[in-house]
């Protein structure tokens, strides 16, 4: 049996990850309208990964005999008024999600729930990668964003991103 608080936090995380997917779809939508289809592709794939994250939490709860409660997904609330604002919002969001994962980890640690800690280890690593990716995009945009030719090439690089299913299998 999972601890009540740990269960509640895991359940909330299902919602937060679906929200992340929703947020990144909004980012994709922004770049589609800008004509930057590579950036749009990058965030669309990011949204798919977030949906996968949500499903991993969902499945983990079910595997541990906890009933999942699905709540309403909030409307994406970031102000997307420039390319850089979108990238910054992405980093800000990932830092927030890292904090959420850490909070669940701490709650599991407190009740010696080693199984949940082990499950979360994958997410701890994943968050490191997500933050790095978000930082990389910001650095590249700072370097190349103001030059149309370089922006075109960066857009082409991001167009090449393909979806990979998560390496964690439950
Ligand atoms: Fe599910 Fe981008 O963290």
């Amino acid at each position: 049996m999972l601890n009540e608080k740990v269960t509640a936090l895991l359940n909330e995380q299902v919602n937060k990850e679906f929200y992340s997917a929703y947020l990144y779809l909004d980012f994709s939508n922004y770049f589609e309208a800008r004509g930057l289809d590579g950036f749009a592709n990058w965030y669309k794939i990011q949204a798919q990964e977030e949906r996968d994250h949500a499903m991993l939490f969902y499945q983990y709860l079910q595997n541990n005999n906890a009933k999942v409660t699905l709540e309403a997904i909030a409307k994406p609330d970031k102000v997307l008024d420039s390319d850089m604002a979108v990238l910054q919002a992405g980093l800000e969001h990932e830092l927030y999600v890292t904090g959420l994962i850490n909070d669940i980890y701490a709650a599991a640690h407190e009740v010696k729930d080693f199984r949940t800690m082990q499950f979360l280890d994958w997410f701890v690593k994943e968050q490191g990668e997500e933050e790095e990716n978000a930082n990389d995009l910001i650095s590249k945009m700072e370097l190349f964003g103001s030059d149309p030719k370089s922006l075109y090439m960066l857009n082409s690089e991001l167009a090449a991103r393909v979806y990979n299913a998560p390496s964690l299998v439950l």
Side-chain angles (χ1 to χ4, degrees):
M1 278 287 281
L2 289 173
N3 165 273
E4 202 178 320
K5 183 180 172 191
V6 171
T7 304
L9 289 173
L10 288 167
N11 199 112
E12 250 173 62
Q13 197 61 27
V14 174
N15 187 279
K16 302 285 185 188
E17 299 289 348
F18 276 125
Y19 172 79
S20 300
Y22 225 42
L23 182 67
Y24 288 133
L25 277 182
D26 204 30
F27 288 12
S28 184
N29 199 34
Y30 165 89
F31 282 115
E32 196 64 46
R34 275 271 288 134
L36 289 168
D37 58 345
F39 283 83
N41 171 65
W42 201 92
Y43 281 114
K44 203 179 285 175
I45 289 171
Q46 192 61 33
Q48 282 177 285
E49 286 198 358
E50 299 300 351
R51 183 206 56 201
D52 289 338
H53 296 171
M55 291 308 296
L56 286 166
F57 281 98
Y58 176 91
Q59 194 60 53
Y60 180 77
L61 283 163
Q62 287 192 341
N63 288 358
N64 286 278
N65 298 315
K67 188 172 178 298
V68 180
T69 305
L70 295 175
E71 302 289 354
I73 300 166
K75 183 178 173 178
D77 61 348
K78 304 280 187 190
V79 179
L80 312 178
D81 54 8
S82 72
D83 298 346
M84 190 55 102
V86 178
L87 304 191
Q88 292 282 9
L91 175 61
E92 196 181 290
H93 184 68
E94 287 306 330
L95 292 170
Y96 166 69
V97 173
T98 297
L100 296 174
I101 300 289
N102 289 347
D103 287 347
I104 311 173
Y105 207 106
H109 185 260
E110 208 174 302
V111 295
K112 294 194 170 68
D113 179 355
F114 300 113
R115 189 192 305 162
T116 297
M117 287 159 69
Q118 194 175 46
F119 163 69
L120 289 172
D121 279 339
W122 184 87
F123 286 92
V124 172
K125 187 162 178 280
E126 176 75 5
Q127 280 312 119
E129 288 169 16
E130 303 264 85
E131 286 179 27
E132 193 185 342
N133 287 339
N135 268 313
D136 272 5
L137 278 181
I138 290 170
S139 302
K140 285 179 178 171
M141 185 60 93
E142 274 169 359
L143 283 168
F144 311 121
S146 55
D147 173 51
K149 261 190 216 158
S150 303
L151 183 62
Y152 178 80
M153 287 178 71
L154 180 54
N155 184 63
S156 302
E157 181 190 317
L158 298 179
R161 183 181 186 187
V162 291
Y163 168 72
N164 289 308
S167 53
L168 178 63
V169 180
L170 295 180

